[in-house]
Amino acid sequence: MNDALRAALSETGHTTESLAERVGVDPKTVGRWLSEGRIPHARHRVSAAEVLGRDVSDIWPDTSRRRDPVWFRPWQEIEREAVALRWFESLVLPGLLQTEAYARAVLAGAGLIPRSDIERHLTTRLNRQGVLRRDDPPQFTAVIDEAVLRRPVGGRETMHEQLLALVAACAEPHIRVHVVPSSVGAYAGLNGPFVIAQCPDHRLAGYLDNQVQGQVVSDVDDLAAIMAAWENVRGEALSHWQSVDLITEVAETWN
């Protein structure tokens, strides 16, 4: 629940209907900002704050607190504004779909983050998931290797909870998950994870991760290579609903 937004509405005399009219969204959308704590698109955040005479950071503080490393900020801005995200992972689940317990286990297990900083990085990762809960979320398509479902990250309880949460996420109309079955031999995904973002102006941007820091890719030839890799991994994967059945089946093995 967004108490700051509720207080701003009360103090200014605005209603969900009047704010929706001024911002140009449906009143139900403003209701979701209030009751579900959803983070609006950047342009709607700015418009709403102007109507209410507040700073954006007063109403949606998590969007302005910079807990993320400097090198990651360009990609985070791209991710936040994207209209579509294509994500491939061979070792762990995409960060936008991770539960708190799973994400904590991933961050702790990497061994690259000081123990004192794990909670800070965890908060950043969980806050990023707001892009999938905003009023106009991107179309999110993930391809994961079956090994991701069977790797005991955080233990049996964490895996069971995580895979059930993944199945629930797959019920959302803007989220699609495809699993590359273990029967597939060599394929492009063995070269490592990547993300492709489609921006509002239809430009594409890529993101490659490594042991030290990530890299934003914008070169045309590099993007063409990443798109070719995407076509390969997507072609090897099961359909969305076949994948959901497999995820559900594997979830029970962790129970």
Side-chain angles (χ1 to χ4, degrees), residues 3-21:
D3 292 329
L5 177 57
R6 189 177 300 279
L9 286 170
S10 177
E11 292 169 9
T12 58
H14 274 289
T15 64
T16 54
E17 289 78 11
S18 64
L19 180 61
E21 182 178 0

Side-chain angles (χ1 to χ4, degrees), residues 155-236:
R156 303 188 68 84
E157 183 177 350
T158 294
M159 286 302 300
H160 185 244
E161 175 192 47
Q162 172 64 81
L163 295 191
L164 291 182
L166 184 58
V167 170
C170 288
E172 296 290 338
H174 61 288
I175 296 176
R176 288 290 178 269
V177 175
H178 303 270
V179 178
V180 177
S182 57
S183 58
V184 172
Y187 70 111
L190 299 182
N191 292 322
F194 57 87
V195 189
I196 303 166
Q198 180 179 333
C199 303
D201 60 3
H202 304 296
R203 288 184 302 108
L204 296 179
Y207 180 76
L208 303 175
D209 210 350
N210 60 47
Q211 291 286 341
V212 180
Q213 65 182 44
Q215 175 188 0
V216 176
V217 176
S218 57
D219 179 80
V220 174
D221 291 337
D222 290 340
L223 284 172
I226 297 174
M227 285 299 299
W230 172 260
E231 293 300 324
N232 179 280
V233 300
R234 178 64 188 87
E236 298 289 359

Side-chain angles (χ1 to χ4, degrees), residues 4-242:
L5 177 57
R6 189 177 300 279
L9 286 170
S10 177
E11 292 169 9
T12 58
H14 274 289
T15 64
T16 54
E17 289 78 11
S18 64
L19 180 61
E21 182 178 0
R22 294 285 299 277
V23 175
V25 298
D26 189 275
K28 292 181 180 178
T29 296
V30 177
R32 287 192 288 270
W33 297 349
L34 281 167
S35 62
E36 300 177 22
R38 293 196 180 186
I39 300 176
H41 190 282
R43 66 178 182 274
H44 293 152
R45 293 198 302 269
V46 172
S47 296
E50 289 178 350
V51 170
L52 298 171
R54 301 289 193 278
D55 289 331
V56 172
S57 60
D58 292 337
I59 304 175
W60 291 284
D62 286 339
T63 63
S64 59
R65 294 173 184 164
R66 305 313 299 260
R67 301 183 179 91
D68 44 303
V70 173
W71 58 263
F72 186 66
R73 293 176 186 176
W75 176 255
Q76 190 169 15
E77 293 300 320
I78 293 171
E79 182 182 75
R80 186 179 293 133
E81 300 297 327
V83 297
L85 290 166
R86 303 179 182 98
W87 195 316
F88 171 73
E89 287 283 356
S90 58
L91 300 176
V92 296
L93 285 170
L96 296 187
L97 297 177
Q98 293 177 5
T99 63
E100 180 176 346
Y102 184 95
R104 182 180 286 107
V106 169
L107 292 169
L112 299 175
I113 302 172
R115 187 176 299 274
S116 59
D117 287 344
I118 288 177
E119 292 303 313
R120 177 171 60 86
H121 284 270
L122 176 64
T123 298
T124 296
R125 180 165 299 186
L126 297 179
N127 284 342
R128 284 171 54 209
Q129 296 178 358
V131 302
L132 296 182
R133 297 192 297 269
R134 72 189 191 205
D135 56 298
D136 56 345
Q139 290 297 314
F140 182 87
T141 305
V143 175
I144 60 175
D145 194 284
E146 184 178 345
V148 173
L149 307 178
R150 303 188 184 277
R151 179 168 291 107
V153 176
R156 303 188 68 84
E157 183 177 350
T158 294
M159 286 302 300
H160 185 244
E161 175 192 47
Q162 172 64 81
L163 295 191
L164 291 182
L166 184 58
V167 170
C170 288
E172 296 290 338
H174 61 288
I175 296 176
R176 288 290 178 269
V177 175
H178 303 270
V179 178
V180 177
S182 57
S183 58
V184 172
Y187 70 111
L190 299 182
N191 292 322
F194 57 87
V195 189
I196 303 166
Q198 180 179 333
C199 303
D201 60 3
H202 304 296
R203 288 184 302 108
L204 296 179
Y207 180 76
L208 303 175
D209 210 350
N210 60 47
Q211 291 286 341
V212 180
Q213 65 182 44
Q215 175 188 0
V216 176
V217 176
S218 57
D219 179 80
V220 174
D221 291 337
D222 290 340
L223 284 172
I226 297 174
M227 285 299 299
W230 172 260
E231 293 300 324
N232 179 280
V233 300
R234 178 64 188 87
E236 298 289 359
L238 301 173
S239 74
H240 173 66
W241 292 116
Q242 287 175 323

